Amino acid sequence: MKTKLLNNHVQTTAKLFLLSFLFFFTKSWSQVGVNTITPNATLDVNGDVIIQDVPKADKSTTDKVLVLNSADNRVEAMNFPKSFVKGVGGSGFSILSLSLLSGWNKVSFPALEFDENSDFDTVNQYFTAPMDGIYHISVYVKMTSLINISSFGVGIFRETSGMTTLVADETYEALSVSLLGIGITSPPTRSAQTLVKLNQGDRIYFGIQSSNLTIFNNAEAQFSIHQVH
Protein backbone atom coordinates (compact mmCIF):
# COMPACT_ATOMS: atom_id res chain seq x y z
CA MET A 1 0.00 0.00 0.00
CA LYS A 2 2.84 2.37 0.93
CA THR A 3 4.61 1.50 -2.28
CA LYS A 4 1.50 2.41 -4.33
CA LEU A 5 1.12 5.73 -2.52
CA LEU A 6 4.80 6.46 -3.09
CA ASN A 7 4.47 5.69 -6.77
CA ASN A 8 1.46 8.01 -7.04
CA HIS A 9 3.40 10.74 -5.26
CA VAL A 10 6.36 10.28 -7.58
CA GLN A 11 4.11 10.40 -10.66
CA THR A 12 2.35 13.54 -9.40
CA THR A 13 5.67 15.22 -8.68
CA ALA A 14 6.99 14.25 -12.10
CA LYS A 15 3.91 15.70 -13.81
CA LEU A 16 4.21 18.96 -11.88
CA PHE A 17 7.90 19.15 -12.75
CA LEU A 18 7.15 18.49 -16.43
CA LEU A 19 4.40 21.14 -16.54
CA SER A 20 6.67 23.64 -14.81
CA PHE A 21 9.46 22.85 -17.25
CA LEU A 22 7.17 23.22 -20.26
CA PHE A 23 5.85 26.54 -18.93
CA PHE A 24 9.36 27.81 -18.33
CA PHE A 25 10.50 26.52 -21.73
CA THR A 26 7.59 28.21 -23.50
CA LYS A 27 8.22 31.52 -21.74
CA SER A 28 11.95 31.34 -22.29
CA TRP A 29 11.73 30.36 -25.96
CA SER A 30 8.89 32.64 -27.08
CA GLN A 31 11.64 34.41 -29.06
CA VAL A 32 13.47 32.28 -31.60
CA GLY A 33 16.91 33.13 -32.90
CA VAL A 34 18.48 31.85 -36.09
CA ASN A 35 22.26 32.17 -36.09
CA THR A 36 22.03 34.16 -32.84
CA ILE A 37 21.74 33.12 -29.18
CA THR A 38 20.23 36.44 -28.07
CA PRO A 39 17.04 36.98 -30.12
CA ASN A 40 15.39 40.39 -29.72
CA ALA A 41 12.14 39.62 -31.53
CA THR A 42 9.68 36.75 -31.97
CA LEU A 43 11.89 35.66 -34.86
CA ASP A 44 15.40 37.10 -35.02
CA VAL A 45 17.36 36.03 -38.12
CA ASN A 46 21.03 36.89 -38.32
CA GLY A 47 21.59 36.23 -42.02
CA ASP A 48 19.81 35.97 -45.38
CA VAL A 49 16.22 34.78 -45.78
CA ILE A 50 14.87 32.87 -48.79
CA ILE A 51 11.11 32.31 -49.23
CA GLN A 52 10.44 29.58 -51.77
CA ASP A 53 6.76 30.29 -52.37
CA VAL A 54 4.83 33.52 -51.76
CA PRO A 55 1.05 33.52 -52.38
CA LYS A 56 -0.34 36.26 -54.62
CA ALA A 57 -2.27 38.97 -52.81
CA ASP A 58 -5.90 39.69 -53.55
CA LYS A 59 -6.22 42.64 -55.95
CA SER A 60 -8.51 44.34 -53.45
CA THR A 61 -5.80 44.26 -50.80
CA THR A 62 -4.10 47.58 -50.07
CA ASP A 63 -0.60 47.53 -51.51
CA LYS A 64 2.16 47.43 -48.89
CA VAL A 65 5.90 47.05 -49.01
CA LEU A 66 8.34 45.68 -46.45
CA VAL A 67 11.03 48.08 -45.33
CA LEU A 68 14.07 47.70 -43.07
CA ASN A 69 14.20 50.03 -40.09
CA SER A 70 17.80 51.28 -40.06
CA ALA A 71 17.67 51.90 -36.29
CA ASP A 72 17.29 48.26 -35.21
CA ASN A 73 16.98 46.26 -38.48
CA ARG A 74 13.35 45.35 -37.79
CA VAL A 75 11.20 44.54 -40.82
CA GLU A 76 8.13 46.78 -40.98
CA ALA A 77 5.18 47.14 -43.37
CA MET A 78 4.52 50.45 -45.11
CA ASN A 79 1.56 51.48 -47.25
CA PHE A 80 2.37 51.92 -50.93
CA PRO A 81 0.69 55.28 -51.71
CA LYS A 82 0.18 55.16 -55.47
CA SER A 83 -0.95 58.50 -56.90
CA PHE A 84 -4.26 58.95 -58.72
CA VAL A 85 -5.17 62.58 -59.46
CA LYS A 86 -7.59 64.22 -61.89
CA GLY A 87 -8.21 67.95 -62.21
CA VAL A 88 -10.85 69.72 -64.30
CA GLY A 89 -11.27 73.17 -65.82
CA GLY A 90 -14.38 75.14 -66.68
CA SER A 91 -15.53 77.96 -64.42
CA GLY A 92 -12.49 79.31 -62.61
CA PHE A 93 -9.89 77.93 -65.01
CA SER A 94 -7.27 80.55 -65.69
CA ILE A 95 -3.73 81.29 -66.83
CA LEU A 96 -1.50 82.68 -64.08
CA SER A 97 1.01 85.46 -64.58
CA LEU A 98 3.74 83.20 -63.17
CA SER A 99 6.13 82.14 -65.93
CA LEU A 100 7.43 78.56 -66.03
CA LEU A 101 9.83 79.03 -68.94
CA SER A 102 10.16 81.71 -71.58
CA GLY A 103 6.77 82.08 -73.30
CA TRP A 104 5.01 79.65 -70.96
CA ASN A 105 2.56 80.55 -68.18
CA LYS A 106 1.34 78.30 -65.39
CA VAL A 107 -2.20 76.93 -65.59
CA SER A 108 -4.60 77.07 -62.63
CA PHE A 109 -7.17 74.26 -62.36
CA PRO A 110 -10.13 75.28 -60.16
CA ALA A 111 -11.17 71.82 -58.97
CA LEU A 112 -10.01 68.26 -58.48
CA GLU A 113 -12.29 65.41 -59.41
CA PHE A 114 -10.24 63.12 -57.17
CA ASP A 115 -6.85 63.02 -55.44
CA GLU A 116 -6.39 59.71 -53.65
CA ASN A 117 -3.34 60.71 -51.59
CA SER A 118 -3.59 64.52 -51.47
CA ASP A 119 -0.56 64.87 -53.77
CA PHE A 120 -1.77 67.97 -55.66
CA ASP A 121 -1.40 71.42 -54.09
CA THR A 122 -4.46 73.39 -55.24
CA VAL A 123 -3.09 76.65 -53.80
CA ASN A 124 0.26 76.58 -55.61
CA GLN A 125 -0.99 74.42 -58.50
CA TYR A 126 1.58 71.63 -58.60
CA PHE A 127 1.78 67.88 -58.05
CA THR A 128 4.46 66.44 -55.75
CA ALA A 129 5.65 62.87 -56.31
CA PRO A 130 5.21 60.96 -53.02
CA MET A 131 7.85 58.38 -53.99
CA ASP A 132 10.25 57.37 -56.75
CA GLY A 133 8.47 55.80 -59.71
CA ILE A 134 7.11 56.00 -63.26
CA TYR A 135 4.11 58.30 -63.71
CA HIS A 136 1.68 58.75 -66.60
CA ILE A 137 0.71 62.40 -67.02
CA SER A 138 -1.75 63.99 -69.46
CA VAL A 139 -3.30 67.43 -69.99
CA TYR A 140 -5.96 68.81 -72.33
CA VAL A 141 -7.10 72.42 -72.99
CA LYS A 142 -9.71 73.84 -75.37
CA MET A 143 -9.89 77.50 -76.44
CA THR A 144 -13.08 79.37 -75.55
CA SER A 145 -12.93 81.48 -78.72
CA LEU A 146 -12.03 80.52 -82.29
CA ILE A 147 -9.80 83.46 -83.14
CA ASN A 148 -6.46 83.64 -84.90
CA ILE A 149 -3.48 83.56 -82.57
CA SER A 150 0.15 83.23 -83.54
CA SER A 151 0.73 80.19 -81.34
CA PHE A 152 -1.15 77.97 -78.96
CA GLY A 153 0.40 75.18 -76.92
CA VAL A 154 -0.06 73.16 -73.77
CA GLY A 155 2.85 71.66 -71.86
CA ILE A 156 3.85 69.43 -68.95
CA PHE A 157 6.73 70.67 -66.79
CA ARG A 158 8.90 68.93 -64.25
CA GLU A 159 10.76 70.67 -61.43
CA THR A 160 13.57 68.80 -59.74
CA SER A 161 16.23 70.29 -57.47
CA GLY A 162 14.94 73.77 -58.33
CA MET A 163 15.30 73.32 -62.11
CA THR A 164 12.23 73.36 -64.38
CA THR A 165 12.16 71.49 -67.69
CA LEU A 166 9.50 70.96 -70.36
CA VAL A 167 8.90 67.20 -70.67
CA ALA A 168 6.00 67.12 -73.16
CA ASP A 169 3.94 69.60 -75.20
CA GLU A 170 1.74 70.14 -78.23
CA THR A 171 2.26 73.53 -79.82
CA TYR A 172 1.39 75.03 -83.22
CA GLU A 173 -0.40 78.01 -84.72
CA ALA A 174 -4.15 78.35 -84.35
CA LEU A 175 -5.64 80.08 -87.39
CA SER A 176 -8.36 79.99 -90.00
CA VAL A 177 -7.53 79.82 -93.71
CA SER A 178 -9.48 79.44 -96.95
CA LEU A 179 -8.58 76.57 -99.24
CA LEU A 180 -10.44 76.41 -102.57
CA GLY A 181 -13.13 78.57 -101.06
CA ILE A 182 -13.56 76.28 -98.07
CA GLY A 183 -12.84 77.70 -94.63
CA ILE A 184 -10.45 75.54 -92.62
CA THR A 185 -9.84 76.15 -88.94
CA SER A 186 -7.10 74.45 -86.96
CA PRO A 187 -8.37 72.46 -83.98
CA PRO A 188 -9.11 74.66 -80.94
CA THR A 189 -7.67 72.03 -78.61
CA ARG A 190 -4.21 71.04 -77.50
CA SER A 191 -3.23 67.97 -75.49
CA ALA A 192 -0.05 66.31 -74.27
CA GLN A 193 0.75 63.11 -72.46
CA THR A 194 3.90 61.27 -71.45
CA LEU A 195 5.54 58.80 -69.09
CA VAL A 196 7.93 60.46 -66.66
CA LYS A 197 10.34 58.94 -64.16
CA LEU A 198 10.03 61.04 -61.00
CA ASN A 199 12.00 61.09 -57.79
CA GLN A 200 10.31 61.63 -54.46
CA GLY A 201 9.68 65.36 -54.05
CA ASP A 202 9.76 66.21 -57.78
CA ARG A 203 6.99 68.59 -58.88
CA ILE A 204 4.76 68.64 -61.96
CA TYR A 205 3.23 71.83 -63.37
CA PHE A 206 1.02 72.51 -66.40
CA GLY A 207 1.48 75.48 -68.71
CA ILE A 208 0.00 77.36 -71.66
CA GLN A 209 1.84 79.13 -74.46
CA SER A 210 -0.22 81.71 -76.35
CA SER A 211 -0.16 85.26 -77.69
CA ASN A 212 -3.60 85.84 -76.15
CA LEU A 213 -4.04 84.33 -72.68
CA THR A 214 -7.49 85.82 -72.00
CA ILE A 215 -9.22 83.40 -74.38
CA PHE A 216 -8.50 80.57 -71.94
CA ASN A 217 -10.41 82.01 -68.98
CA ASN A 218 -13.01 79.41 -67.87
CA ALA A 219 -11.84 77.10 -70.66
CA GLU A 220 -12.69 73.43 -70.86
CA ALA A 221 -9.65 71.55 -69.59
CA GLN A 222 -8.48 68.58 -67.58
CA PHE A 223 -5.37 66.76 -66.42
CA SER A 224 -4.61 63.38 -64.90
CA ILE A 225 -1.64 61.84 -63.12
CA HIS A 226 -1.28 58.25 -62.02
CA GLN A 227 1.65 56.17 -60.90
CA VAL A 228 2.17 53.09 -63.06
CA HIS A 229 5.28 51.67 -61.40
Side-chain angles (χ1 to χ4, degrees), residues 67-111:
V67 296
L68 189 66
N69 189 321
S70 60
D72 56 9
N73 286 333
R74 289 180 183 272
V75 177
E76 301 172 348
M78 182 181 73
N79 286 332
F80 191 71
K82 283 190 175 181
S83 297
F84 294 93
V85 188
K86 181 180 180 181
V88 293
S91 179
F93 180 83
S94 62
I95 310 301
L96 304 178
S97 59
L98 180 61
S99 177
L100 293 170
L101 290 176
S102 179
W104 290 90
N105 288 77
K106 186 195 288 188
V107 169
S108 176
F109 284 88

Coordinates of all heavy atoms in Angstrom, one line a residue, residues 67-111:
V67 N 9.9 47.2 -45.4 CA 11.0 48.1 -45.3 C 11.9 47.7 -44.1 O 11.4 47.1 -43.2 CB 10.6 49.6 -45.2 CG1 9.9 50.0 -46.5 CG2 9.8 49.8 -44.0
L68 N 13.2 48.0 -44.2 CA 14.1 47.7 -43.1 C 14.3 49.0 -42.3 O 14.8 50.0 -42.8 CB 15.4 47.1 -43.6 CG 16.4 46.6 -42.6 CD1 15.8 45.3 -42.0 CD2 17.7 46.2 -43.3
N69 N 14.0 48.9 -41.0 CA 14.2 50.0 -40.1 C 15.7 50.1 -39.8 O 16.3 49.2 -39.2 CB 13.4 49.9 -38.8 CG 13.4 51.1 -37.9 OD1 14.5 51.8 -37.8 ND2 12.3 51.4 -37.3
S70 N 16.3 51.2 -40.2 CA 17.8 51.3 -40.1 C 18.2 51.4 -38.6 O 19.4 51.2 -38.3 CB 18.3 52.5 -40.8 OG 17.7 53.7 -40.4
A71 N 17.3 51.7 -37.7 CA 17.7 51.9 -36.3 C 18.0 50.6 -35.6 O 18.9 50.4 -34.9 CB 16.6 52.6 -35.5
D72 N 17.1 49.6 -35.9 CA 17.3 48.3 -35.2 C 17.1 47.1 -36.1 O 17.1 45.9 -35.7 CB 16.3 48.1 -34.0 CG 14.9 48.3 -34.5 OD1 14.6 48.3 -35.7 OD2 14.0 48.4 -33.6
N73 N 17.1 47.3 -37.5 CA 17.0 46.3 -38.5 C 15.7 45.5 -38.4 O 15.6 44.4 -38.9 CB 18.2 45.3 -38.4 CG 19.4 45.9 -38.9 OD1 19.4 46.8 -39.8 ND2 20.6 45.5 -38.4
R74 N 14.7 46.0 -37.8 CA 13.4 45.4 -37.8 C 12.7 45.5 -39.1 O 12.8 46.6 -39.8 CB 12.5 45.9 -36.7 CG 12.9 45.5 -35.3 CD 12.0 46.1 -34.2 NE 12.5 45.8 -32.9 CZ 12.2 44.7 -32.2 NH1 11.4 43.8 -32.7 NH2 12.7 44.5 -31.0
V75 N 12.0 44.5 -39.6 CA 11.2 44.5 -40.8 C 9.8 45.1 -40.5 O 9.1 44.6 -39.6 CB 11.1 43.2 -41.5 CG1 10.2 43.2 -42.7 CG2 12.5 42.6 -41.8
E76 N 9.4 46.1 -41.2 CA 8.1 46.8 -41.0 C 7.4 46.9 -42.3 O 8.0 47.0 -43.4 CB 8.3 48.2 -40.3 CG 9.1 48.1 -39.0 CD 9.5 49.5 -38.5 OE1 9.4 50.5 -39.3 OE2 9.9 49.6 -37.3
A77 N 6.0 47.0 -42.2 CA 5.2 47.1 -43.4 C 4.9 48.6 -43.5 O 4.7 49.3 -42.6 CB 3.9 46.3 -43.2
M78 N 4.8 49.1 -44.8 CA 4.5 50.4 -45.1 C 3.5 50.5 -46.3 O 3.7 49.7 -47.2 CB 5.8 51.2 -45.5 CG 5.6 52.7 -45.8 SD 7.1 53.5 -46.2 CE 7.4 52.9 -47.9
N79 N 2.5 51.3 -46.2 CA 1.6 51.5 -47.3 C 2.3 52.0 -48.5 O 3.2 52.8 -48.4 CB 0.4 52.4 -46.9 CG -0.5 51.9 -45.9 OD1 -0.7 50.6 -45.8 ND2 -1.1 52.7 -45.0
F80 N 1.8 51.5 -49.7 CA 2.4 51.9 -50.9 C 1.4 52.9 -51.6 O 0.5 52.6 -52.3 CB 2.5 50.7 -51.8 CG 3.3 50.9 -53.1 CD1 4.7 51.1 -53.0 CD2 2.7 51.0 -54.3 CE1 5.4 51.3 -54.1 CE2 3.5 51.2 -55.5 CZ 4.8 51.3 -55.4
P81 N 1.7 54.2 -51.3 CA 0.7 55.3 -51.7 C 0.7 55.7 -53.2 O 1.3 56.7 -53.6 CB 1.1 56.5 -50.8 CG 2.6 56.3 -50.7 CD 2.9 54.8 -50.7
K82 N 0.2 54.8 -54.1 CA 0.2 55.2 -55.5 C -0.7 56.4 -55.7 O -1.7 56.5 -55.1 CB -0.3 54.0 -56.3 CG 0.7 52.9 -56.5 CD 0.2 51.9 -57.5 CE 1.3 50.8 -57.8 NZ 0.8 49.8 -58.8
S83 N -0.3 57.2 -56.6 CA -1.0 58.5 -56.9 C -2.0 58.3 -58.0 O -1.7 57.7 -59.0 CB 0.1 59.6 -57.3 OG 1.0 59.9 -56.3
F84 N -3.2 58.9 -57.7 CA -4.3 59.0 -58.7 C -4.9 60.3 -58.6 O -5.6 60.6 -57.6 CB -5.3 57.8 -58.5 CG -4.7 56.5 -58.8 CD1 -4.2 55.7 -57.7 CD2 -4.8 55.9 -60.0 CE1 -3.7 54.4 -58.0 CE2 -4.3 54.7 -60.3 CZ -3.7 53.9 -59.2
V85 N -4.7 61.2 -59.5 CA -5.2 62.6 -59.5 C -5.8 63.0 -60.8 O -5.3 62.6 -61.9 CB -4.0 63.6 -59.2 CG1 -4.6 65.0 -58.9 CG2 -3.2 63.1 -58.0
K86 N -7.0 63.7 -60.7 CA -7.6 64.2 -61.9 C -8.1 65.6 -61.6 O -8.9 65.8 -60.6 CB -8.7 63.3 -62.4 CG -9.4 63.9 -63.7 CD -10.5 63.0 -64.2 CE -11.1 63.6 -65.4 NZ -12.3 62.7 -65.9
G87 N -7.7 66.6 -62.4 CA -8.2 68.0 -62.2 C -9.0 68.4 -63.4 O -8.8 67.9 -64.5
V88 N -10.0 69.3 -63.2 CA -10.8 69.7 -64.3 C -10.9 71.2 -64.4 O -10.7 71.9 -63.4 CB -12.3 69.2 -64.1 CG1 -12.3 67.7 -64.3 CG2 -12.8 69.6 -62.7
G89 N -11.2 71.7 -65.6 CA -11.3 73.2 -65.8 C -12.7 73.6 -65.8 O -13.5 73.2 -64.9
G90 N -13.0 74.6 -66.7 CA -14.4 75.1 -66.7 C -14.4 76.4 -65.9 O -13.4 77.2 -65.9
S91 N -15.4 76.7 -65.2 CA -15.5 78.0 -64.4 C -14.4 78.1 -63.4 O -14.2 77.2 -62.6 CB -16.9 78.0 -63.7 OG -17.0 79.2 -62.9
G92 N -13.6 79.1 -63.5 CA -12.5 79.3 -62.6 C -11.1 78.9 -63.2 O -10.1 79.3 -62.7
F93 N -11.2 78.3 -64.4 CA -9.9 77.9 -65.0 C -9.2 79.2 -65.5 O -9.9 80.1 -66.1 CB -10.1 77.0 -66.2 CG -8.9 76.6 -66.9 CD1 -8.1 75.5 -66.4 CD2 -8.5 77.2 -68.1 CE1 -7.0 75.1 -67.1 CE2 -7.4 76.8 -68.8 CZ -6.6 75.8 -68.3
S94 N -7.9 79.3 -65.3 CA -7.3 80.6 -65.7 C -5.8 80.3 -65.9 O -5.2 79.3 -65.6 CB -7.4 81.6 -64.6 OG -6.8 81.2 -63.4
I95 N -5.2 81.3 -66.6 CA -3.7 81.3 -66.8 C -3.1 82.3 -65.9 O -3.4 83.5 -65.9 CB -3.4 81.6 -68.3 CG1 -4.2 80.8 -69.3 CG2 -1.9 81.4 -68.5 CD1 -4.1 79.3 -69.1
L96 N -2.1 81.8 -65.1 CA -1.5 82.7 -64.1 C -0.4 83.5 -64.7 O 0.2 83.1 -65.8 CB -0.9 81.8 -62.9 CG -2.0 80.9 -62.2 CD1 -1.2 80.1 -61.2 CD2 -3.1 81.7 -61.6
S97 N -0.1 84.6 -64.1 CA 1.0 85.5 -64.6 C 2.4 84.9 -64.3 O 3.4 85.3 -64.9 CB 0.9 86.8 -63.9 OG 1.0 86.7 -62.5
L98 N 2.5 83.8 -63.5 CA 3.7 83.2 -63.2 C 4.3 82.5 -64.4 O 3.6 81.6 -65.0 CB 3.6 82.2 -62.0 CG 4.8 81.5 -61.5 CD1 5.9 82.5 -61.1 CD2 4.5 80.5 -60.4
S99 N 5.5 82.8 -64.8 CA 6.1 82.1 -65.9 C 6.9 80.9 -65.5 O 7.6 80.9 -64.5 CB 7.1 83.1 -66.6 OG 7.7 82.5 -67.7
L100 N 6.7 79.8 -66.3 CA 7.4 78.6 -66.0 C 8.8 78.6 -66.8 O 9.8 78.4 -66.2 CB 6.6 77.4 -66.5 CG 5.3 77.1 -65.6 CD1 4.5 76.1 -66.3 CD2 5.7 76.7 -64.2
L101 N 8.7 78.8 -68.1 CA 9.8 79.0 -68.9 C 9.5 80.2 -69.9 O 8.3 80.6 -69.9 CB 10.2 77.8 -69.7 CG 10.7 76.6 -68.9 CD1 10.9 75.4 -69.9 CD2 12.1 76.9 -68.3
S102 N 10.4 80.6 -70.7 CA 10.2 81.7 -71.6 C 9.0 81.4 -72.5 O 9.0 80.4 -73.2 CB 11.4 82.0 -72.4 OG 11.2 83.0 -73.3
G103 N 7.9 82.3 -72.5 CA 6.8 82.1 -73.3 C 5.7 81.2 -72.7 O 4.7 81.0 -73.3
W104 N 6.0 80.6 -71.6 CA 5.0 79.6 -71.0 C 4.5 80.2 -69.6 O 5.3 80.7 -68.8 CB 5.7 78.3 -70.7 CG 5.9 77.5 -72.0 CD1 7.1 77.5 -72.7 CD2 5.1 76.6 -72.6 NE1 7.0 76.7 -73.8 CE2 5.8 76.1 -73.7 CE3 3.8 76.1 -72.3 CZ2 5.2 75.1 -74.6 CZ3 3.2 75.2 -73.2 CH2 3.9 74.7 -74.3
N105 N 3.2 80.1 -69.4 CA 2.6 80.5 -68.2 C 1.9 79.4 -67.5 O 1.3 78.5 -68.1 CB 1.5 81.6 -68.4 CG 2.2 83.0 -68.8 OD1 2.6 83.1 -70.0 ND2 2.2 83.9 -67.9
K106 N 1.9 79.4 -66.2 CA 1.3 78.3 -65.4 C -0.2 78.3 -65.5 O -0.8 79.4 -65.5 CB 1.8 78.4 -63.9 CG 1.3 77.2 -63.1 CD 1.4 77.5 -61.6 CE 2.8 77.5 -61.1 NZ 2.9 77.6 -59.6
V107 N -0.8 77.1 -65.5 CA -2.2 76.9 -65.6 C -2.7 76.7 -64.2 O -2.1 76.1 -63.3 CB -2.5 75.7 -66.5 CG1 -4.0 75.3 -66.3 CG2 -2.2 76.0 -67.9
S108 N -3.9 77.3 -63.9 CA -4.6 77.1 -62.6 C -5.9 76.3 -62.8 O -6.8 76.8 -63.5 CB -4.9 78.4 -62.0 OG -5.6 78.2 -60.8
F109 N -6.0 75.1 -62.3 CA -7.2 74.3 -62.4 C -8.0 74.5 -61.1 O -7.5 74.5 -60.0 CB -6.8 72.8 -62.4 CG -6.3 72.3 -63.8 CD1 -5.0 72.4 -64.1 CD2 -7.2 71.8 -64.7 CE1 -4.5 72.0 -65.4 CE2 -6.8 71.5 -66.0 CZ -5.4 71.5 -66.3
P110 N -9.3 74.9 -61.3 CA -10.1 75.3 -60.2 C -10.6 74.1 -59.3 O -11.0 74.4 -58.1 CB -11.3 76.0 -60.8 CG -11.5 75.3 -62.2 CD -10.0 75.0 -62.6
A111 N -10.6 72.9 -59.8 CA -11.2 71.8 -59.0 C -10.5 70.5 -59.3 O -10.0 70.3 -60.4 CB -12.7 71.7 -59.2

